[in-house]
Amino acid sequence: QVQLVESGGGLVQVGGSLRLSCAASGGRFSFNAMAWYRQAPGKQREFVASMTSDMITNYVDSVRDRFSISRDNAKNTVYLHMNTLKPEDTAIYYCNFGGKTDYSGRYASPSNYWGQGTQVTVSS
């Protein structure tokens, strides 16, 4: 059974930075796409960033120039480096393991494997 544990969230001021981590166990990490999603209060969960097993990355437009996803296959861990944080980045951030990719190898959709989430709060 795949287990995902996120960490690194917290309270940060506008313009600050955070690094989220997601440690995976129980699955073949290096062979699977990893992704980050977030859910703000009263809103649906939205895609933030992904990295396939071939290191192809994708970002939602609102974070493209500020966030960076990386992975360490030796540690079975995926990271989300968040810079220049804005109040609208406030949300619970979730990692996802093993999402689907499309015919071109790009990330397409999440799997049913989710972590418990980590809260990120950006104060103005």
Side-chain angles (χ1 to χ4, degrees), residues 48-59:
V48 177
S50 64
M51 178 176 278
T52 69
S53 59
D54 292 326
M55 304 299 186
I56 298 172
T57 59
N58 193 26
Y59 299 90

Side-chain angles (χ1 to χ4, degrees), residues 82-100:
M82 306 187 295
N83 299 310
T84 320
L85 283 160
K86 304 176 180 180
E88 52 263 43
D89 295 319
T90 295
I92 299 175
Y93 283 71
Y94 300 90
C95 69
N96 183 268
F97 173 98
K100 294 182 179 179

